Amino acid sequence: MFFRFILLVVSSMSFLRSVSSCEESCTDKPVFTPSRLVVRIGDPTFASCSVCQHDCINNLYKLESPVGLTTTNGTTISWTVNRLTEWHASPICYYTIRKTNDQCCTTLPVTVYQPPVNVSISFVGPTGPMREGQQCTLQCTVEDVAPVENLTVTFYRGRTALSQQSNISNTEKKPVTDIFSLNITLSKEDDGVQYWCEAKLELGPDGPQRPPVVTSQNITTTVLYGPQLVELPHLDPNIVVKGGRLELSCSAVGNPSPSYTWTLPPESTSTSNSSILTINSATFADEGNYTCSVSNGIGNVTVQFDVAVRGLELTSTRLPPTTTPATTTRSTTPATTTRSTTPATTTRSTTPATTTRSTTPATTTRSTTPATTTRSTTPTTNTTSTRANVLNCSTSSFLLHRFIMCFMLLFSALV
């Protein structure tokens, strides 16, 4: 075991001595394929070196590395690692010109990475419940990640990215644990919100197509805040009709949930311990000032309402009933009297005591069209008196007409 350790030290010293004066700006320099390697710790890897085009022929050339095996085929040297376990494993391919003892070399960049073993997030600072307006610090801890200079950490509030941070100044190649912090000021909107962080290794185009990403757990915030009204009350008086429904609301949100206390006019008999005060049938005793006090131990808020009760409904106008006067049309064809009287003819004969008297009784033709009455009234009009007057007038005219006719017949008979 001791012998193997001595051999490793000697090899390392020989390697350092061999490339101590290497020139990387020479014209005919070695070329690696690929030109850069990104390898996860513990994975295999492979590269080849074309030492030169012509300058290294008949000269000394070699590929040196602390790990892996090399094979030479002409001026091409292959480098193979079955399981990469070294964090500093970049091989050097070089050649030495015998006449001048100058060296020309190329180093193969090898990035050995390890995704974070664990990522966690927490609040740091004062302990106990958090309140609205309080400043606190979110801390994202990334454990055993390499190389840390390629690490990017993002803080999230729900699905919204808040901040992205990195530590490019740390050039340590081996795994380290790094801590990233973000200061925030809490608001009531943060109550119930989830915060988390994400650690990503940005390894460039030669790295994995999907960069290694490790996320933390979610932490749910509980923020205490005083009552805040859901809707601001209007300043105008609340007018309600006597017997109508009155409803006042002072709904608020808060953590913890707020409680409500109502102060009513002295003569009102209503009570409530919720955010809504309801009076199903308002009376004049319910008129006055109402106060709603909302509190939850963190803060309080007061809302005032001015209520006026009216005897008439203000939202509608009632007009008096409309009456259409009764229209009476009476059409009467005046009685037509035709009287034909053949005057009595008296023939006196010379024969005594013989008298002939011939009289054609008066003929009277009476044609009367009954009086026609058209009555049009609306349902709300009382026409009983009008009808009585019309009937009385019709009866009187009829009786007078009969009397005149009887008088004329009597007069005709006497003549």
Side-chain angles (χ1 to χ4, degrees):
M1 185 67 182
F2 178 75
F3 176 75
R4 291 182 60 185
F5 175 75
I6 295 298
L7 182 61
L8 179 60
V9 171
V10 173
S11 299
S12 300
M13 293 179 63
S14 175
F15 168 73
L16 293 174
R17 185 174 59 252
S18 298
V19 296
S20 59
S21 59
C22 181
E23 178 62 46
E24 294 188 356
S25 60
C26 49
T27 56
D28 192 10
K29 61 186 301 182
V31 177
F32 273 103
T33 305
S35 60
R36 181 172 182 266
L37 284 177
V38 178
V39 186
R40 181 168 181 164
I41 190 71
D43 285 356
T45 187
F46 170 84
S48 64
C49 174
S50 177
V51 180
C52 67
Q53 297 296 323
H54 51 81
D55 288 351
C56 63
I57 298 175
N58 299 322
N59 289 312
L60 176 66
Y61 50 87
K62 193 175 182 181
L63 187 148
E64 295 186 355
S65 172
V67 295
L69 300 175
T70 60
T71 57
T72 302
N73 183 10
T75 57
T76 300
I77 305 175
S78 299
W79 177 63
T80 304
V81 179
N82 293 326
R83 185 172 180 270
L84 185 58
T85 57
E86 293 291 329
W87 298 102
H88 301 275
S90 296
I92 296 178
C93 185
Y94 69 97
Y95 65 90
T96 302
I97 301 176
R98 295 179 184 273
K99 292 182 180 180
T100 61
N101 204 30
D102 293 330
Q103 289 182 327
C104 183
C105 66
T106 299
T107 301
L108 174 65
V110 178
T111 300
V112 183
Y113 72 92
Q114 175 177 287
V117 173
N118 184 55
V119 177
S120 60
I121 190 171
S122 61
F123 280 105
V124 296
T127 59
M130 294 180 290
R131 297 195 177 195
E132 183 181 22
Q134 178 181 339
Q135 287 191 345
C136 59
T137 301
L138 280 171
Q139 185 172 280
C140 184
T141 303
V142 184
E143 301 178 17
D144 294 333
V145 60
V148 70
E149 63 181 341
N150 293 90
L151 178 67
T152 300
V153 170
T154 306
F155 288 88
Y156 286 89
R157 180 184 183 272
R159 303 183 70 87
T160 303
L162 298 178
S163 175
Q164 194 172 75
Q165 303 178 16
S166 59
N167 190 4
I168 58 176
S169 61
N170 191 341
T171 58
E172 176 60 53
K173 302 302 182 182
K174 294 182 179 181
V176 297
T177 295
D178 207 349
I179 298 175
F180 301 83
S181 299
L182 176 67
N183 295 324
I184 61 173
T185 300
L186 296 174
S187 67
K188 69 181 185 67
E189 287 76 16
D190 290 312
D191 186 39
V193 171
Q194 292 186 330
Y195 287 91
W196 55 286
C197 62
E198 173 188 86
K200 179 189 294 186
L201 276 178
E202 301 282 0
L203 298 169
D206 297 314
Q209 294 300 314
R210 293 185 178 181
V213 176
V214 180
T215 59
S216 70
Q217 82 285 8
N218 295 335
I219 55 173
T220 303
T221 56
T222 300
V223 181
L224 304 181
Y225 61 96
Q228 297 187 7
L229 295 176
V230 175
E231 182 179 356
L232 295 178
H234 55 81
L235 301 178
D236 298 332
N238 294 269
I239 302 176
V240 62
V241 178
K242 183 178 179 294
R245 178 185 174 90
L246 173 65
E247 186 174 284
L248 303 176
S249 174
C250 60
S251 297
V253 294
N255 187 22
S257 298
S259 60
Y260 301 86
T261 303
W262 288 88
T263 302
L264 281 64
E267 297 181 2
S268 179
T269 58
S270 303
T271 59
S272 177
N273 57 359
S274 67
S275 62
I276 298 177
L277 171 67
T278 302
I279 300 177
N280 292 321
S281 181
T283 65
F284 289 113
D286 297 315
E287 188 173 66
N289 293 323
Y290 290 72
T291 302
C292 176
S293 299
V294 189
S295 62
N296 67 349
I298 304 299
N300 59 77
V301 64
T302 301
V303 184
Q304 292 187 344
F305 302 89
D306 185 15
V307 175
V309 180
R310 298 289 183 259
L312 294 177
E313 185 176 357
L314 298 179
T315 56
S316 64
T317 303
R318 239 178 233 185
L319 297 175
T322 303
T323 304
T324 303
T327 303
T328 304
T329 304
R330 187 177 64 176
S331 175
T332 304
T333 303
T336 303
T337 305
T338 304
R339 186 176 62 171
S340 176
T341 304
T342 303
T345 303
T346 305
T347 305
R348 289 188 182 181
S349 178
T350 59
T351 303
T354 304
T355 302
T356 304
R357 187 178 176 182
S358 175
T359 302
T360 303
T363 303
T364 302
T365 303
R366 182 166 55 88
S367 176
T368 302
T369 302
T372 303
T373 302
T374 302
R375 182 162 50 87
S376 175
T377 61
T378 60
T380 60
T381 306
N382 188 354
T383 61
T384 304
S385 177
T386 304
R387 293 181 60 190
N389 293 334
V390 173
L391 291 176
N392 290 337
C393 292
S394 299
T395 304
S396 299
S397 298
F398 179 74
L399 292 175
L400 179 60
H401 181 71
R402 291 292 298 272
F403 175 79
I404 293 172
M405 291 301 298
C406 289
F407 179 80
M408 293 180 68
L409 288 174
L410 180 62
F411 177 80
S412 177
L414 292 176
V415 176

